[in-house]
Amino acid sequence: MNVGVAHSEVNPNTRVMNSRGMWLTYALGVGLLHIVLLSIPFFSVPVAWTLTNVIHNLGMFIFLHAVKGTPFETPDQGKARLLTHWEQLDYGVQFTSSRKFFTISPIILYFLASFYTKYDPTHFIFNTTSLLTVLIPKLPQLHGVRIFGINKY
């Protein structure tokens, strides 16, 4: 038991993505983003799908792969301060259900965006680049790796 904290986990970041209703909330948030973009009059359907994909992947990259540490006071002696949220997720265990969900969701969104843009080369390049920026950091080989020392501290 942790004295002086409001939660029982050593690091709540490890379990937050497994919380009840988190995946549904995530999917509804992406759907709401897409509906808001579709409601803007001068955006065509392909532009709305590409923007949905790019904004989603940018947010996912920042939240899961760029921001380090934890917003909670943890009794783990600062071990989590050098890890991104993706590296803290499920205590660093690879191929858990939440990691699979957050790996497959941008791929599904990419397929939807590619289909609704009718594989237009310009949209395809933006969507593919956006997908690769969130998939490559999720590879197990890159767990804890800082390429060119970026985000080392």
Side-chain angles (χ1 to χ4, degrees):
M1 183 167 142
N2 298 324
V3 178
V5 293
H7 46 76
S8 62
E9 289 284 335
V10 173
N11 181 0
N13 268 358
T14 59
R15 291 284 189 213
V16 72
M17 296 303 185
N18 290 326
S19 300
R20 185 177 176 153
M22 182 62 188
W23 296 359
L24 178 63
T25 304
Y26 173 84
L28 290 175
V30 173
L32 181 66
L33 169 66
H34 183 65
I35 289 171
V36 167
L37 290 173
L38 277 175
S39 68
I40 298 175
F42 53 87
F43 284 168
S44 65
V45 172
V47 169
W49 273 105
T50 299
L51 283 175
T52 300
N53 188 33
V54 170
I55 291 170
H56 166 267
N57 289 343
L58 179 66
M60 180 177 264
F61 180 80
I62 290 170
F63 178 67
L64 291 179
H65 303 293
V67 176
K68 292 167 55 173
T70 177
F72 312 102
E73 182 179 341
T74 59
D76 66 354
Q77 303 296 317
K79 293 176 186 171
R81 70 181 175 82
L82 296 176
L83 299 175
T84 64
H85 191 90
W86 181 258
E87 294 164 347
Q88 295 175 43
L89 191 62
D90 295 329
Y91 298 103
V93 177
Q94 302 295 322
F95 306 114
T96 60
S97 59
S98 58
R99 283 180 180 252
K100 289 176 185 177
F101 175 78
F102 287 107
T103 301
I104 290 172
S105 58
I107 295 171
I108 291 171
L109 190 58
Y110 170 77
F111 285 149
L112 287 169
S114 296
F115 175 77
Y116 282 106
T117 58
K118 296 180 176 57
Y119 303 99
D120 178 63
T122 306
H123 291 281
F124 194 74
I125 288 171
F126 280 112
N127 288 326
T128 304
T129 304
S130 175
L131 177 70
L132 291 176
T133 59
V134 294
L135 281 188
I136 291 174
K138 287 179 173 55
L139 294 173
Q141 294 85 355
L142 294 178
H143 185 81
V145 174
R146 304 290 180 257
I147 297 175
F148 303 123
I150 297 172
N151 205 13
K152 186 176 181 181
Y153 299 107

